[in-house]
Amino acid sequence: MSESISKKEARGLSPAALLVAGAFFMEFLDGTVIATALPDMGKTFGVEAVDLNIGISAYLITLAVLIPASGWIADRFGARRVFTLALAIFTLASVLCGLATSVETFVTMRIFQGMGGALMVPVGRLAVLRTTPKHKLISAIATLTWPALVAPIIGPPLGGFITSYADWRWIFFINLPIGLIAILLSLRIIPDIREPERRPFDLTGFLATAVAMVSLVCAMEALGGERVQSGLTLTLALLVVGGLTLFYALRHFRRARWPMIRLDALAVPTFRVTMYGGSLFRSSISSVPFLLPLLFQVGFGMDPFHAGSLVLAVFVGNLTIKPATTPLIRWLGFRRLLLINGALNVLALLACALLTPQTPVWVTLLILYLGGVFRSVQFTGISTLAFADVPSSQMSYANTLFSTATQLAIGLGITLGAIGIRIGEKVSDWLALSAIPGVSFRLAFVFIALICLVGMFDTFRLTREAGSSVSQKKGS
C-alpha cells in the first residue's frame, strides 16, 4: 500500500515541479542571455553597448528588492494566483522589452520583468516545497536547481546565436508562446496554498531590506566593474549603508511581532549550514560562467564560438549527473557527500587554473565536464539539505530567506570573479609572470577555489544524521 501511495505522490508532484523548473529556466535565462546581444541592442538604440548594462543591473536590483516580500505575498493571496500573475507579468514585460525603441523604455520594461521574476522563483519553489513529501524532496529540488546551473552556461551562446541569425528582439519574443502555455498550466497544476492567518505587511522590514539589498547589489556591481577605482568612495559608502541597514533589518526581524522574514529557521542546524557555508559555495560557482569565457577569449585568444562551445561541456556535466544525484545522496548521506564532492569541486576549480592554450581539447573538455558534474551534485545537495529539517510551518519564511541569500550570493560571485582577476594581475606582476597567457584569469580560479574551500568547513558541523528524513541514510 505504501509503495502505491509513494508512486501516486510522485506522479502528483512531477507536473508542478517540471512547470516551476521551466518557469525558472525562462527567468534565469533572461538574466544572462542578453549579455552577447548588447552590441546589437546598442546599435538599435543609438548608444554604446556598455550603457545597456543598466538593463541587467535594473533587473537584478528589482529582484533583490521584491524577493524578500514574496513570502508574504504568496501567503496572503495564494501560491497559484501569485505564480500565475508572475508568469503573466514576466511574459508581457518580455514582449514589451522586444518592442522597446529607446534605452529608457527598455530599462523600464526590464524593471517590470524583474517584478515578475522576483515573485516567480520563490513562490514557485514554495508551492513545490509545501506539497512535496520529505522522501521525495531530493528529486523535487534536483528538478528545481538545474535551471540555475544550466541557464548561465547556455545563455550567452544562445543569445549570440539568436542575434547572429535572427534579431536580438527574438530573445524576448520567444518567451511569449512559452509564457502563455505556462500560464494555462499554472492555473491547472499549481496548488492553491496560502496561510490561513492574515498577518499585516511589515513595511519597516521591507523598506530596511530594500535599502540594504539595493545598496549591496549596487556595491557588488561597482566592485565587479572596471572603473571601481574612480568610484571607490561611493562603493564604500554603499557597502556601509547596505551593511548597517541589513544589521538593522535582522535586528528588527528578531523583535517584530509580524516580521516580513522570520529567522527561526536559522536555529535548524542543516538550514544554518546551507545559509553560511552554502552561500560561499553558491558564490564561487556563480563566478565560473563569468571567468571561463574570459579565460578562453581574452586569455587564450579564442573566438566567441569556440570558447562558447568549450563552456557547453559544463552544461553537459550538469545534465548527465542529474539521474545519479538522488542515489548518491541516499548512499552517502548529506554530510559525507558534501565533504567528498566539495573537495572534488575545489580540485576541479584548481584544474581550470592549469589550463593553457596548448592543453589538448579533450583534456579541457574533460576538466569542464567533471567540473559541471561536481558543481551540480553539490548545488542539489546543499539546496535539498536547506529544507530537509525545516518544519512545514516555517517553510515560507525559510524559502524567502534562502531566496534572498541566493540572490546576494549570485551577485557576490561575479564580484569575487572580478576581484580574483585583479588579484591575479597583481600577483603575476609581482612574480613577473605576466607573459604567461591568461595567467591573471588562471590565478582567479585559484582564488575562487580557496573561497569554495572555506565554505566547505561549515559542512564539518553537520552530524552524520543530517537530513536523514530526506536522504533516508542513517548515521553509523
Side-chain angles (χ1 to χ4, degrees):
M1 174 65 83
S2 61
E3 180 69 21
S4 62
I5 291 174
S6 296
K7 289 181 178 179
K8 185 177 180 181
E9 287 173 337
R11 286 197 298 270
L13 165 69
S14 182
L18 289 174
L19 173 60
V20 172
F24 283 11
F25 184 74
M26 184 171 65
E27 193 271 336
F28 282 118
L29 193 64
D30 261 40
T32 58
V33 74
I34 71 170
T36 49
L38 291 181
D40 283 62
M41 295 171 66
K43 292 177 184 176
T44 301
F45 297 145
V47 298
E48 295 293 327
V50 69
D51 296 329
L52 285 172
N53 279 338
I54 189 175
I56 299 176
S57 300
Y59 182 80
L60 293 175
I61 290 172
T62 306
L63 289 178
V65 169
L66 292 181
I67 281 178
S70 62
W72 181 89
I73 296 173
D75 289 340
R76 172 60 68 91
F77 299 105
R80 180 192 298 163
R81 184 181 300 176
V82 175
F83 186 72
T84 305
L85 177 63
L87 283 169
I89 292 174
F90 191 87
T91 303
L92 176 60
S94 295
V95 174
L96 295 176
C97 282
L99 295 174
T101 56
S102 66
V103 175
E104 293 77 15
T105 304
F106 176 71
V107 172
T108 302
M109 292 306 103
R110 284 291 280 178
I111 293 173
F112 187 39
Q113 195 179 35
M115 293 170 61
L119 294 176
M120 189 190 303
V121 174
V123 173
R125 185 192 292 117
L126 178 62
V128 174
L129 290 173
R130 282 272 187 86
T131 55
T132 302
K134 289 288 187 183
H135 65 282
K136 294 291 181 182
L137 196 60
I138 300 175
S139 299
I141 295 296
T143 303
L144 297 183
T145 53
W146 71 263
L149 291 164
V150 172
I153 299 296
I154 71 172
L158 178 62
F161 178 82
I162 293 174
T163 304
S164 300
Y165 295 99
D167 186 272
W168 67 263
R169 298 182 186 276
W170 282 99
I171 290 174
F172 299 99
F173 290 156
I174 59 175
N175 284 339
L176 179 59
I178 299 172
L180 290 176
I181 294 172
I183 289 170
L184 294 175
L185 291 175
S186 175
L187 291 171
R188 294 177 59 87
I189 294 174
I190 299 299
D192 191 25
I193 55 173
R194 69 180 72 200
E195 283 291 327
E197 187 178 37
R198 294 173 66 90
R199 52 191 169 94
F201 184 71
D202 179 14
L203 182 61
T204 301
F206 174 74
L207 292 176
T209 307
V211 173
M213 295 292 284
V214 169
S215 300
L216 292 174
V217 170
C218 288
M220 290 175 188
E221 289 272 309
L223 285 171
E226 296 181 357
R227 296 186 294 271
V228 65
Q229 294 296 331
S230 59
L232 185 59
T233 302
L234 177 60
T235 303
L236 291 176
L238 287 171
L239 285 173
V240 171
V241 171
L244 290 176
T245 49
L246 181 61
F247 175 78
Y248 172 78
L250 294 175
R251 185 169 175 267
H252 167 78
F253 292 151
R254 294 186 185 279
R255 298 186 175 191
R257 182 182 178 187
W258 301 104
M260 185 173 61
I261 302 176
R262 288 192 185 276
L263 305 179
D264 300 354
L266 288 175
V268 180
T270 49
F271 184 81
R272 187 169 60 247
V273 166
T274 59
M275 285 292 291
Y276 298 152
S279 292
L280 288 178
F281 168 76
R282 285 189 291 272
S283 295
S284 65
I285 66 167
S286 296
S287 66
V288 172
F290 169 72
L291 287 175
L292 278 176
L294 290 176
L295 173 66
F296 293 144
Q297 291 179 241
V298 180
F300 297 167
M302 295 182 185
D303 60 86
F305 178 77
H306 188 189
S309 300
L310 290 177
V311 174
L312 285 177
V314 180
F315 160 67
V316 176
N318 292 336
L319 198 62
T320 55
I321 195 61
K322 278 301 177 187
T325 303
T326 299
L328 280 172
I329 293 176
R330 298 205 189 284
W331 176 43
L332 295 172
F334 282 105
R335 186 180 188 274
R336 188 179 299 175
L337 175 79
L338 294 179
L339 287 173
I340 295 173
N341 189 76
L344 292 173
N345 195 77
V346 171
L347 292 175
L349 290 172
L350 291 174
C352 290
L354 300 177
L355 295 174
T356 69
Q358 290 75 39
T359 301
V361 174
W362 71 268
V363 174
T364 300
L365 290 174
L366 179 61
I367 289 173
L368 298 184
Y369 172 81
L370 291 176
V373 167
F374 301 143
R375 71 199 288 264
S376 177
V377 172
Q378 198 80 355
F379 197 91
T380 300
I382 289 174
S383 299
T384 307
L385 183 62
F387 302 101
D389 300 325
V390 175
S392 180
S393 60
Q394 297 180 20
M395 195 67 80
S396 177
Y397 291 108
N399 177 60
T400 303
L401 190 57
F402 184 83
S403 299
T404 304
T406 298
Q407 183 62 37
L408 275 176
I410 291 172
L412 181 60
I414 306 299
T415 301
L416 289 175
I419 292 173
I421 293 172
R422 292 199 184 89
I423 292 175
E425 291 171 350
K426 298 292 185 184
V427 172
S428 60
D429 288 342
W430 180 49
L431 298 177
L433 301 174
S434 301
I436 299 176
V439 64
S440 59
F441 303 104
R442 292 162 65 184
L443 290 173
F445 274 102
V446 176
F447 174 71
I448 294 300
L450 292 175
I451 297 293
C452 191
L453 182 63
V454 171
M456 270 187 60
F457 282 103
D458 219 19
T459 310
F460 285 104
R461 301 170 62 184
L462 294 173
T463 64
R464 293 186 178 183
E465 296 80 13
S468 59
S469 62
V470 170
S471 67
Q472 300 175 350
K473 173 76 174 179
K474 302 300 180 182
S476 55

